Amino acid sequence: MKPFLHLCACRALSSVVALGANIICNKIPGLAPRQRALCQSRPDAIIIIGEGAQSGINECQYQFRYARWNCSALGERTVFGQELRVGSREAAFTYAITAAGVAHAVTAACSQGKLSQCGCDRDKQGYHNREDSWKWGGCSADVKYGVEFSRRFVDAREIKKNARRLMNLHNNEAGRKILQERTKLECKCHGVSGSCTTRTCWITLPKLREIGYLLKERYSEAVQVEPVRASRLRQPSFLRLKGARGYQKPRDTDLVYLERSPNYCEEDAATGSTGTRGRLCNGTSTLTGGCGVMCCGRGYNTHHYTRVRQCNCKFHWCCVVKCSTCSEKSEVFTCK
């Protein structure tokens, strides 16, 4: 192909790719302008971002499966699910786990060669620690890239300059920081006859489930904050612990909230509550999943089931299997 024709073909191809990215990104609901621009420049990443956000929502639903609020109201209205309007502990958790989920997914995709412009962590290549007899090798997860990408995309949806924006940004960063802190060093031994004269080491990502458990602990210890406003513009400039003396700020890995949580007993779209009517509960537990707590004092229904199955099967020569019939009774409790 002549150079001029080759150049034209490349331009035509890039135009088709750009057109496809525009169509895809314009069809995704709920994207902020900067998110849409990033989507159009990196259309290969938007699927990974969506998968990461969804994995965060799935983890949220797992962690709260026995609570009155079970994360089910997030829905699928946007790539991040539906925003909780109340600046509660629950909103804090959803922002933290979603930001961590996106950073986790992007980092994993880079290591697996699924994304352009990233790969294994190049800073971890070539270093040799002679004292401890180990060196960097394999494919270290480039968690810095994943965290930065999550920061650029997830944080871009915070447009309004208010206290809720500061709360959301703080919780986003807390989720990502906990992910970074939980990366692990894995090593493989090398040497004659299984000896470990040298080791090759690399950085691995934690499971998102581990991050979910850690963030659930932070949720239980979440701190209430209030905005401190700048003197001139009267816009919130940072958050401080509510009721604390002076301007004591929350820690980087604290989950923070502005408003008390609703009780989530009744359905209320404004607070993101689906209510607990019809929810399964534990008839013998006094904890959050127990009927006393889950059903909010309304009582519960008891359903009796009998399951019939074959049991005590024996082989008789030759060649018949004979079984007895066993029945199992069970009870299921649902909130009134």
Side-chain angles (χ1 to χ4, degrees), residues 189-234:
C189 283
H190 304 278
V192 180
S193 301
S195 64
C196 203
T197 52
T198 60
R199 292 181 299 157
T200 300
C201 302
W202 59 93
I203 297 293
T204 62
L205 276 173
K207 301 287 186 185
L208 194 59
R209 178 59 40 86
E210 180 183 347
I211 306 305
Y213 280 123
L214 289 169
L215 286 175
K216 184 68 182 298
E217 290 176 10
R218 297 294 196 283
Y219 162 85
S220 300
E221 301 164 357
V223 294
Q224 189 169 14
V225 292
E226 59 187 1
V228 176
R229 301 185 183 279
S231 56
R232 288 185 193 172
L233 303 176
R234 303 300 298 163

Side-chain angles (χ1 to χ4, degrees), residues 7-41:
L7 180 62
C8 289
C10 289
R11 285 178 176 171
L13 179 61
S14 63
S15 297
V16 170
V17 172
L19 179 62
N22 275 323
I23 293 172
I24 293 169
C25 298
N26 288 334
K27 283 190 174 181
I28 299 174
L31 291 184
R34 280 197 296 156
Q35 289 179 323
R36 206 171 296 281
L38 186 58
C39 173
Q40 290 166 353
S41 65

